[in-house]
């Protein structure tokens, strides 16, 4: 059973506009959530995280929103740039230390 | 800079072979992970180790085993490789404590093809 779900396999956005990537989870024990970015032939790299005690975390162009009651989080990228084109993975962690990932969303930012 | 190094970028092995994938990290991290990445399925956790000689099964441990004899090294073993184990394998490490407070760092990945 997939505990972390990214239901949109792909997203295409115009340069300069907002990209919104969504993620849902089922395990209420998760208390940290992370977003990773992955380019082809490279390992994922950390982008931004949020603790379950917060509902928003911002880092430059990237903002993550957490809605605990809906078990939903989203990553907003504003403004989107062509270099943001990559696969984005949502991940969640409980106090066991395990890190569980979603299926990924491929973002394409068109010039 | 944290470095997680996987011994091979590309591997081709025959069905039934015993395969070793090696991962080394240089930041004295307690936690190490093995994932596989498949299209449409994302990154799935195979095994997790939180200390030397300590391991925990992930979501898809069948057909795999692991070894962590030294803190810096985490090996993934395919006891008898099968074609459905053709995949991208990713190793990661993180410091002790809650993942999320501190991030996990990934290696470059090993593309394994079983023929």
């Amino acid at each position: 059973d997939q505990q972390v779900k990214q239901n949109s396999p792909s997203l295409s956005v115009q340069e300069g506009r907002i990209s919104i990537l969504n993620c849902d989870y089922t395990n209420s024990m998760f208390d940290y959530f992370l977003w990773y970015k992955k380019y082809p032939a490279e390992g994922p790299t950390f982008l931004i995280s949020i603790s379950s005690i917060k509902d928003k975390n911002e880092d430059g162009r990237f903002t993550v929103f957490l809605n605990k009651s809906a078990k939903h989080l989203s990553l907003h990228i504003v403004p989107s740039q062509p270099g943001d084109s990559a696969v984005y993975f949502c991940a969640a962690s409980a106090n066991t230390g395990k890190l569980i990932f979603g299926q990924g969303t491929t973002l394409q930012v068109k010039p | 800079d944290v470095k997680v190094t996987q011994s091979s970028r590309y591997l081709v092995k025959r069905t039934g072979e015993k395969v070793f994938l090696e991962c080394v990290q240089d930041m004295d991290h307690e936690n190490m992970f093995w994932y596989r990445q498949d299209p449409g399925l994302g990154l799935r956790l195979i095994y997790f180790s939180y200390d030397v000689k300590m391991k925990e099964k992930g979501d898809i441990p069948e057909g795999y085993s692991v070894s962590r004899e030294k803190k810096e090294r985490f090996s993934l073993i395919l006891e008898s490789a099968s074609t459905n184990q053709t995949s991208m394998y990713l190793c990661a490490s993180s410091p002790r404590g809650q993942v999320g407070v501190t991030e996990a760092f990934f290696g470059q990945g090993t593309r394994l093809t079983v023929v």
Side-chain angles (χ1 to χ4, degrees):
Chain A
D1 186 31
Q2 192 90 24
Q3 297 184 70
V4 179
K5 298 178 185 178
Q6 294 175 256
N7 292 316
S8 298
S10 62
L11 175 67
S12 183
V13 170
Q14 208 65 36
E15 181 179 6
R17 306 295 290 268
I18 184 170
S19 295
I20 300 176
L21 296 98
N22 293 303
C23 179
D24 297 294
Y25 63 95
T26 58
N27 189 342
S28 57
M29 298 301 292
F30 288 144
D31 54 5
Y32 273 96
F33 303 90
L34 306 89
W35 285 94
Y36 278 78
K37 177 179 177 180
K38 186 180 185 299
Y39 293 116
E42 294 183 14
T45 54
F46 171 76
L47 201 53
I48 191 168
S49 65
I50 188 167
S51 160
S52 60
I53 63 172
K54 295 185 174 182
D55 54 18
K56 178 183 173 180
N57 189 26
E58 196 171 348
D59 184 2
R61 297 186 297 114
F62 302 91
T63 303
V64 56
F65 295 92
L66 176 61
N67 182 334
K68 278 185 67 178
S69 59
K71 293 191 176 72
H72 177 84
L73 63 155
S74 60
L75 174 68
H76 293 211
I77 307 173
V78 184
S80 302
Q81 299 173 354
D84 295 330
S85 298
V87 180
Y88 288 79
F89 290 100
C90 169
S93 173
N95 57 11
T96 59
K98 281 184 185 178
L99 190 57
I100 305 297
F101 283 81
Q103 303 97 313
T105 297
T106 300
L107 173 65
Q108 183 185 24
V109 180
K110 296 180 178 177
Chain B
D1 256 7
V2 174
K3 194 145 187 169
V4 179
T5 304
Q6 294 182 230
S7 52
S8 305
R9 290 298 299 272
Y10 300 95
L11 272 180
V12 180
K13 295 292 181 180
R14 294 194 179 277
T15 301
E17 271 192 80
K18 191 168 186 175
V19 181
F20 293 84
L21 302 183
E22 306 286 349
C23 176
V24 176
Q25 50 97 0
D26 65 359
M27 283 302 290
D28 202 36
H29 287 169
E30 287 79 11
N31 297 332
M32 294 189 77
F33 309 80
W34 274 106
Y35 293 88
R36 61 178 280 178
Q37 182 191 2
D38 299 289
L41 297 176
L43 273 67
R44 292 180 293 166
L45 181 64
I46 305 171
Y47 267 97
F48 163 56
S49 171
Y50 49 93
D51 207 340
V52 175
K53 301 198 182 194
M54 306 303 286
K55 63 187 179 187
E56 202 171 306
K57 290 181 180 178
D59 296 323
I60 51 163
E62 297 79 17
Y64 303 94
S65 62
V66 289
S67 172
R68 185 124 181 247
E69 296 296 319
K70 292 185 177 181
K71 192 174 185 181
E72 67 270 17
R73 186 180 295 272
F74 192 34
S75 303
L76 180 70
I77 303 153
L78 286 66
E79 298 291 342
S80 176
S82 64
T83 54
N84 63 12
Q85 292 178 308
T86 292
S87 186
M88 169 69 83
Y89 289 87
L90 290 156
C91 175
S93 74
S94 71
R96 185 185 304 285
Q98 182 63 58
V99 178
V101 177
T102 55
E103 62 182 278
F105 296 86
F106 281 82
Q108 296 278 68
T110 297
R111 170 69 66 185
L112 173 67
T113 302
V114 182
V115 298

